[in-house]
Amino acid sequence: MYPQIVPTETFERVRAMVAKNKYGKRSTEVKYLLRHKLICGYCGSPISAETGTGSNGQVVRYYKCLGRKRGSDCKKSMIRKETLENFVIDCIVKELSKPDVIKRMVRGLSEAQETLVKDKSCENALLKEKRHTQRVIDNIMSAIEQGVVTNTTTKRLKELELKLEELERKIVTERSKTRILLSEREIREYYEQALRLEPQMLINFLIKQIVLFDDKIEIYFNSPLRVSPDDSQGFSFASETGIMPCMIHNRKEPVLRPIRIELRL
Ligand SMILES: [Zn+2]
């Protein structure tokens, strides 16, 4: 199985759209980055996004236990949206900067890389077909050199040359699928950058669940090299041009372990 690497141009197009939206109609829309990820540590209810008006008339945004909101006796206090979001993002960045976490991620990636490099059957089949096509072209060429030229031979030669071009394109595509060469630094920089630039995407991608108490927080991560239930997602990595999502299959162990942090706000 191959990872499906989104072609750079597709990725760039999506990124351009996202960037455009940022300054377009989305600029007035407030995003609750941790929505659907938060669970109350005391009663297990989801934590929902709330908007209120402060005493000075300013809009205040916060996260509130849904159980408490609906009248249960849960004592979980509300927390300011910005405070919690910044805290969580800082935690993730810190976690991803730890040498042993990076080491585990790099190890996971290189294992995946090896599996990919092993499976070259498709590329080899294409190379074989290319050699065959080239041989036929050579034969026709020598026939032409010996003076055997008919309309049929010229037509056939054109077809074969087009086929050869097509095969070469396919080989390049196939080779790009088996190349994921990332350094430790690149992986770390990617996650740091992406968290700042595309926090929503990365939070959706990296965070499985956050259990929130008043004095501590537990962050459960998805593995960046996770098994994808619908084969439509996978891990992402950085390239010269930006973020490139791609898929890796058949990895079961999470690369990132859950973390528990004291909440001092
Ligand atoms: Zn609660």
Side-chain angles (χ1 to χ4, degrees):
M1 268 227 251
Y2 289 115
Q4 294 199 349
I5 296 175
V6 175
T8 313
E9 54 203 282
T10 311
F11 172 73
E12 282 305 317
R13 217 167 44 231
V14 173
R15 223 161 69 111
M17 274 158 57
V18 171
K20 216 166 122 192
N21 267 348
K22 230 174 237 171
Y23 305 104
K25 78 177 215 284
R26 234 175 52 171
S27 60
T28 49
E29 194 186 316
V30 179
K31 288 228 161 206
Y32 284 82
L33 296 177
L34 304 176
R35 208 175 213 168
H36 311 306
K37 298 285 182 188
L38 292 167
I39 293 280
C40 172
Y42 300 104
C43 72
S45 299
I47 289 186
S48 66
E50 299 286 324
T51 312
T53 315
S55 47
N56 53 358
Q58 263 194 334
V59 177
V60 188
R61 297 186 173 85
Y62 49 91
Y63 289 102
K64 183 178 183 175
C65 167
L66 201 63
R68 186 174 176 177
K69 192 190 171 190
R70 289 181 180 159
S72 82
D73 55 0
C74 180
K75 294 285 174 283
K76 173 82 192 75
S77 27
M78 298 184 297
I79 184 164
R80 288 287 284 263
K81 174 189 183 289
E82 294 76 18
T83 315
L84 185 63
E85 288 176 357
N86 288 339
F87 182 80
V88 168
I89 290 177
D90 282 346
C91 284
I92 302 171
V93 170
K94 243 180 245 161
E95 187 62 17
L96 293 177
S97 313
K98 285 182 186 165
D100 69 307
V101 173
I102 293 289
K103 211 182 278 171
R104 261 179 278 143
M105 288 170 74
V106 171
R107 203 189 306 135
L109 280 167
S110 32
E111 274 169 24
Q113 223 159 255
E114 262 167 42
T115 331
L116 295 175
V117 172
K118 269 179 216 153
D119 191 354
K120 281 190 151 192
S121 50
C122 193
E123 188 190 327
N124 288 340
L126 287 168
L127 284 169
K128 197 178 161 193
E129 206 183 338
K130 187 192 160 187
R131 280 195 301 272
H132 174 73
T133 311
Q134 188 63 62
R135 254 198 319 272
V136 181
I137 289 176
D138 291 346
N139 288 344
I140 294 178
M141 288 302 278
S142 46
I144 290 172
E145 277 160 16
Q146 284 161 29
V148 195
V149 192
T150 64
N151 281 342
T152 330
T153 39
T154 358
K155 196 175 158 236
R156 182 84 186 113
L157 186 63
K158 272 222 175 78
E159 280 168 9
L160 285 166
E161 274 166 350
L162 283 175
K163 190 183 170 189
L164 194 67
E165 272 178 33
E166 179 63 24
L167 282 167
E168 276 164 359
R169 261 200 302 277
K170 281 184 183 167
I171 290 166
V172 171
T173 314
E174 211 47 53
R175 280 187 177 152
S176 72
K177 281 183 187 171
T178 52
R179 280 180 62 209
I180 308 168
L181 300 166
L182 292 171
S183 70
E184 208 176 295
R185 185 182 52 82
E186 282 171 323
I187 296 171
R188 190 177 51 240
E189 277 177 3
Y190 160 66
Y191 282 109
E192 282 172 9
Q193 205 189 9
L195 261 173
R196 302 291 172 200
L197 298 176
E198 307 275 351
Q200 184 73 82
M201 187 188 91
L202 257 281
I203 284 170
N204 288 343
F205 184 68
L206 281 174
I207 305 286
K208 196 171 172 191
Q209 192 170 70
I210 299 170
V211 183
L212 191 61
F213 298 83
D214 281 338
D215 57 349
K216 69 171 188 271
I217 183 171
E218 290 170 0
I219 301 177
Y220 294 88
F221 292 100
N222 284 319
S223 168
L225 301 166
R226 67 183 167 179
V227 179
S228 166
D230 56 357
D231 284 355
S232 66
Q233 286 180 40
F235 73 92
S236 307
F237 61 88
S239 73
E240 288 293 314
T241 46
I243 307 153
M244 270 220 253
C246 96
M247 290 202 289
I248 290 287
H249 300 278
N250 302 327
R251 261 197 78 86
K252 287 176 187 74
E253 284 305 303
V255 173
L256 294 167
R257 295 180 186 129
I259 48 171
R260 176 178 292 136
I261 306 134
E262 299 264 313
L263 203 56
R264 288 200 198 98
L265 303 168

